[in-house]
Amino acid sequence: MKQARFTDEQVIGILKEHENGLKTADVCRKHGISEATFYKYKAKFGGMEVSDARKLKALEDENARLKKLLAET
């Protein structure tokens, strides 16, 4: 599986830059991402704070662990 280029906290920071008035194209150019990637991030992390992203990551990890346990039984 491919390693993520940005952490969840960094993605939220990128989205905050856009919310503060920068154009989408400028934000994408600055961080080297496509607009499609930007909108994918916005769909997943839009309106979140860093603490929310950490909780989401913890829940995803727990869910993956539980699915693995269920598959082993």
Side-chain angles (χ1 to χ4, degrees):
M1 194 163 130
K2 185 177 177 184
Q3 175 89 15
R5 183 170 174 192
F6 297 108
T7 64
D8 295 345
E9 291 84 7
Q10 290 172 325
V11 170
I12 292 172
I14 292 169
L15 294 175
K16 292 285 184 193
E17 288 180 20
H18 180 260
E19 290 174 5
N20 290 334
L22 285 177
K23 293 182 181 177
T24 304
D26 294 337
V27 172
C28 293
R29 191 176 316 112
K30 178 180 176 184
H31 296 285
I33 60 175
S34 69
E35 287 192 22
T37 301
F38 175 82
Y39 288 114
K40 184 178 77 170
Y41 288 161
K42 189 173 180 179
K44 184 172 182 182
F45 297 107
M48 281 190 173
E49 295 295 326
V50 174
S51 61
D52 297 335
R54 288 187 183 133
K55 289 177 189 174
L56 176 65
K57 180 67 175 163
L59 287 172
E60 287 174 345
D61 290 343
E62 182 181 7
N63 193 24
R65 184 181 60 79
L66 291 173
K67 284 182 179 181
K68 186 177 178 183
L69 277 172
L70 182 62
E72 289 175 353
T73 58

